[in-house]
Amino acid sequence: MYVGQFKANQLVDRLEAAAKARQATVARFRAHPSADDPIVLARQSARRAVIQAREVRVNEREMARLAATAQHEAEALAAREREAAEAARQAAEKADRQAALAAEQKTARDARFAARKARARR
C-alpha cells in the first residue's frame, strides 16, 4: 500500500462527506414549507393566540398588582389618619387636663389668698 494513495483516499472521503453534508442541509432547507403554506399560517396564528393570551395574563397580573398596591396604600393612609386622629384626641385631652389643673390651682391659690386676707382683717 502506498502512503500517498492512502492520504488521497482520506481526502476524497472527507470531501465526499462534506458534499453530502451540504446536500443534506440544502435538502432540509428545501423541505421546509413556504410562508404561505396553510400549516405555516396555522402555526403562526396559534403562536399569535398564545402571545395574546400571555399578554392578557401579564396585564391581568399587573392590574392585580396595582390594585393590591392601591389597597395597601389606602390601608396605610387610613392607619396614618387613625393615628393622627388619636394623637389629636390625646392632645385635646391633655390640653383639657392642663386647663382643668390650671383652674384648680387658681381656685386653690385664690382660696389661700382669701384666707390670708381674712386673717389679716381680724
Side-chain angles (χ1 to χ4, degrees), residues 1 9-10 14-15 18 26 35 39-40 42-44 54 57-59 61-62 65 72-73 84 87-88 98 107 109-110:
M1 184 161 138
N9 286 342
Q10 280 184 339
R14 281 184 290 164
L15 290 174
V26 169
I39 294 173
V40 172
R43 282 186 200 150
Q44 287 176 346
R54 184 180 304 129
R57 287 191 309 270
V58 166
N59 289 337
R61 281 195 302 267
E62 181 67 16
R65 186 187 65 77
H72 180 69
E73 289 175 359
Q98 286 177 342
T107 304
R109 189 174 54 244
D110 289 346

Side-chain angles (χ1 to χ4, degrees), residues 29-47:
F29 179 75
R30 288 186 180 149
H32 284 277
S34 64
D36 60 349
D37 188 18
I39 294 173
V40 172
L41 295 176
R43 282 186 200 150
Q44 287 176 346
S45 67
R47 284 183 187 138

